[in-house]
Amino acid sequence: MNSQQADIGMIGLAVMGQNLALNIADHGYTIAVYNRHAEKMKDFISQCEKNEPSSSRLLGAETLEELAGKLKRPRKIILLVKAGEATDKTIDSLLPYLEAGDIVIDGGNANWMDTIRREKDLNAKGLRFIGSGVSGGETGARFGPSLMPGGSAEAWAELAPIWNAVAAKVDAQTGVPLPGAAPGKPVEGGVPCTAHIGPNGAGHYVKMVHNGIEYIDMQLICEAYWLLKNLLGLESDAIGKVFQAWNQGELSSYLIEITGDILLQPDPAGEGYFVDKVLDTAGQKGTGLWTATSALELGVPANSIAEAVFARCLSALKDERVEASKVLQGPEAKMEKDQARLVAAIRDALYSSKICAYAQGFQLMAEAQKVYGWSLDFGTLAQIWRGGCIIRAKFLQKITDAYAIDPNLKNLMLDPYFRDALHSGQNHWREVVSLAVLNGIPTPAFSSALAYFDGYRSARLPANLLQAQRDYFGAHTYERIDQPRGQFFHLDWPAENRPQLKA
Ligand code: 2AM
């Protein structure tokens, strides 16, 4: 038997690596698998031999040299190791066993700037590099993730058959994810949730923004839950049923669906509901933080995405909050009487805020592509998020439609469908944000999204005063509304020099 029998290799057999390797094997590819600690590889193979129909297509390798030896040329090797230093170290240890033309594929949550650097370094050595976002968690990796590869077009052409095979599939007409994958039985047909995103770091950038959107999507859902609980006094199961009902309409999405399941879950360790027993602190690191940082660096007003990160930071101050709750007072939340009306209003507030959150994410990518020299296809991005990934939603089809109507759409909110949705939802949205404010319930995501909407639709904002202040204290100059843009003026501010208003 030819020793170079594996179609592709995998380095890193934590949860994502194991599941993606099995997905690849299920699609008829032979995959050589390696882990820094060989025990993990051996355990994985022996577990698979017991349970997995495709286990004969998994080939264990104890060393990187052995791994490289098992691969067909040019080699394709996926890295699913910890992002950052571990990725660099792994690439360095692999280099002695690679030959010109081989392709290293980083499937971790790498920072896009690292991906740009790594591609450049490997290209200089005659190697090729793809930085691919992989979204969908454990189940996605196993039965169909959303895959966002960035790299050269010719490297992508070599990887495409495997990536197209293992990606999640959606129905060509409806865009709805095709169900039914099982071990050894992948879904047949459908449109794969992957596409070449662009060169170098484009795939990892888009994956990062996907995660930033995921942060705000989750935060918005949490705020809707919190309002239903605190303004209506609903129990967890009743709120779960509201989410189940919402999942039948425009809000239909994976995150709304799992929220319904979570809220209906009894506590396995005692009385009451599971969610009420979970500690209310969240961490934030990596991609959510990077998305907000990139927005700040690029000057894109992705305020709600940043708020979602800050909301987690605030949640993490649990001990301080407990202390502060004994000192700082606010209004007592008043229960609303008209339940059906408020549920409908919160639904509209959630949908409108969600439109703004996605508008911010897409605005960010539109700016980033100019800076990094990419040419992103936004309709396709929304398309490949329709299945496999955490933010998969019916709503994404509307984004694809919006960019099909106008590929140069400046902002999602300007698309007729989304504009109409915002117009019809905004009264409820304003009412919900007002109620939250009046009742002392924090809704940073709902409120910041509304501020984004109101700011973006304002032909005039108070930055006129800001520029005047800057000119006053620092002679920073200002432009005038009655003079061409780019002409700068300065007022001689000492009181005696200032022109006076004519009486
Ligand atoms: P391990 O099982 O041997 O720790 C996710 O953490 C994956 O990344 C695991 O497969 C882990 O391997 C691998 N990993 C983490 N740090 C690493 C490093 N410095 N070098 C190589 N692999 C690493």
Side-chain angles (χ1 to χ4, degrees):
M1 196 190 230
N2 182 356
S3 64
Q4 296 167 16
Q5 54 194 317
D7 300 293
I8 193 159
M10 171 75 75
I11 297 178
L13 294 174
V15 174
M16 291 298 280
Q18 291 190 6
N19 281 289
L20 190 61
L22 281 169
N23 183 358
I24 291 171
D26 273 352
H27 283 86
Y29 295 100
T30 299
I31 177 161
V33 294
Y34 166 91
N35 196 70
R36 176 177 56 161
H37 297 114
E39 282 311 306
K40 203 181 235 176
M41 178 276 289
K42 288 182 193 158
D43 288 350
F44 173 57
I45 299 262
S46 66
Q47 279 302 317
C48 292
E49 278 166 354
K50 286 184 219 137
N51 310 320
E52 291 289 340
S54 308
S55 62
S56 63
R57 286 193 286 275
L58 299 172
L59 309 178
E62 292 197 28
T63 64
L64 289 171
E65 183 173 16
E66 190 189 344
L67 177 85
K70 286 187 191 299
L71 298 174
K72 292 178 188 165
R73 316 293 199 260
R75 298 177 179 86
K76 292 186 262 306
I77 303 178
I78 305 167
L79 305 184
L80 267 168
V81 301
K82 222 163 154 234
E85 212 179 286
T87 305
D88 285 317
K89 278 197 181 142
T90 308
I91 294 173
D92 285 346
S93 350
L94 184 62
L95 282 177
Y97 312 111
L98 299 183
E99 291 163 296
D102 288 350
I103 306 172
V104 176
I105 302 131
D106 179 10
N109 265 329
N111 182 289
W112 80 100
M113 294 300 283
D114 285 339
T115 302
I116 292 174
R117 167 178 59 78
R118 289 177 186 135
E119 193 209 34
K120 211 180 263 169
D121 290 352
L122 290 191
N123 283 354
K125 296 180 169 70
L127 301 165
R128 296 180 282 179
F129 188 69
I130 289 181
S132 181
V134 177
S135 175
E138 188 179 336
T139 312
R142 180 69 181 86
F143 298 114
S146 173
L147 296 167
M148 293 153 252
S152 71
E154 42 92 31
W156 163 241
E158 304 241 12
L159 178 66
I162 299 179
W163 247 219
N164 281 324
V166 302
K169 305 292 185 308
V170 295
D171 183 90
Q173 259 71 51
T174 61
V176 173
L178 297 178
K185 291 201 176 60
V187 165
E188 309 240 334
V191 181
C193 292
T194 185
H196 184 220
I197 305 296
N200 53 59
H204 274 142
Y205 192 88
V206 163
K207 170 61 179 15
M208 174 196 78
V209 175
H210 163 284
N211 286 21
I213 291 175
E214 183 181 308
Y215 266 54
I216 176 66
D217 218 339
M218 292 168 78
Q219 175 64 24
L220 287 167
I221 289 172
C222 290
E223 291 179 13
Y225 151 69
W226 208 231
L227 290 167
L228 290 167
K229 187 175 171 68
N230 290 296
L231 288 177
L232 288 171
L234 296 181
E235 283 292 342
S236 184
D237 59 341
I239 306 176
K241 285 180 190 137
V242 169
F243 275 90
Q244 285 182 329
W246 287 350
N247 199 39
Q248 302 309 309
E250 280 170 318
L251 276 168
S252 168
S253 66
Y254 174 69
L255 283 170
I256 295 280
E257 181 190 334
I258 66 164
T259 302
D261 287 353
I262 291 165
L263 291 167
L264 286 159
Q265 173 66 45
D267 180 11
E271 295 287 296
Y273 293 97
F274 168 76
V275 76
D276 294 327
K277 309 292 174 66
V278 179
L279 187 71
D280 53 323
T281 77
Q284 62 75 33
K285 58 180 166 58
T287 45
L289 169 65
W290 294 343
T291 311
T293 307
S294 177
L296 285 167
E297 280 172 356
L298 297 176
V300 175
N303 58 339
S304 309
I305 292 178
E307 278 295 355
V309 182
F310 288 135
R312 291 193 186 194
C313 300
L314 193 55
S315 81
L317 303 179
K318 175 74 177 175
D319 295 343
E320 260 182 81
R321 287 190 288 113
V322 170
E323 285 309 307
S325 71
K326 297 172 195 154
V327 181
L328 301 174
Q329 286 165 6
E332 196 69 31
K334 283 197 207 67
M335 292 294 159
E336 287 297 311
K337 295 203 178 59
D338 192 342
Q339 181 169 322
R341 204 188 112 71
L342 190 62
V343 167
I346 294 173
R347 194 218 74 96
D348 284 353
L350 178 55
Y351 196 59
S352 304
S353 302
K354 180 168 166 141
I355 294 170
C356 291
Y358 279 70
Q360 291 171 24
F362 279 79
Q363 202 177 10
L364 177 58
M365 292 189 286
E367 192 55 32
Q369 68 171 348
K370 290 188 221 156
V371 175
Y372 298 107
W374 305 322
S375 178
L376 302 175
D377 177 341
F378 297 115
T380 300
L381 291 188
Q383 220 160 29
I384 67 173
W385 290 347
R386 290 179 306 184
C389 63
I390 304 296
I391 63 171
R392 61 184 181 265
K394 198 170 168 181
F395 175 82
L396 287 161
Q397 184 62 45
K398 298 288 182 195
I399 300 184
T400 300
D401 295 347
Y403 284 105
I405 297 167
D406 179 3
N408 300 313
L409 188 63
K410 274 244 167 340
N411 188 299
L412 266 186
M413 296 187 292
L414 300 173
D415 164 74
Y417 168 80
F418 290 117
R419 177 200 62 203
D420 292 349
L422 289 165
H423 283 168
S424 71
Q426 70 170 305
N427 286 348
H428 273 156
W429 190 12
R430 292 181 193 286
E431 185 186 333
V432 166
V433 170
S434 306
L435 275 173
V437 171
L438 289 171
N439 285 284
I441 301 167
T443 51
F446 277 19
S447 313
S448 65
L450 183 55
Y452 175 77
F453 172 66
D454 282 334
Y456 192 79
R457 62 176 195 82
S458 295
R460 200 152 158 82
L461 285 170
N464 51 340
L465 176 57
L466 194 107
Q467 291 304 78
Q469 289 166 334
R470 294 177 67 247
D471 190 57
Y472 193 120
F473 64 65
H476 291 297
T477 74
Y478 60 94
E479 292 167 285
R480 292 187 57 94
I481 58 170
D482 50 7
Q483 298 295 327
R485 292 286 293 270
Q487 277 198 40
F488 292 89
F489 300 88
H490 168 59
L491 190 66
D492 201 6
W493 281 103
E496 59 278 15
N497 298 341
R498 269 182 253 155
Q500 299 301 314
L501 269 186
K502 292 180 194 77

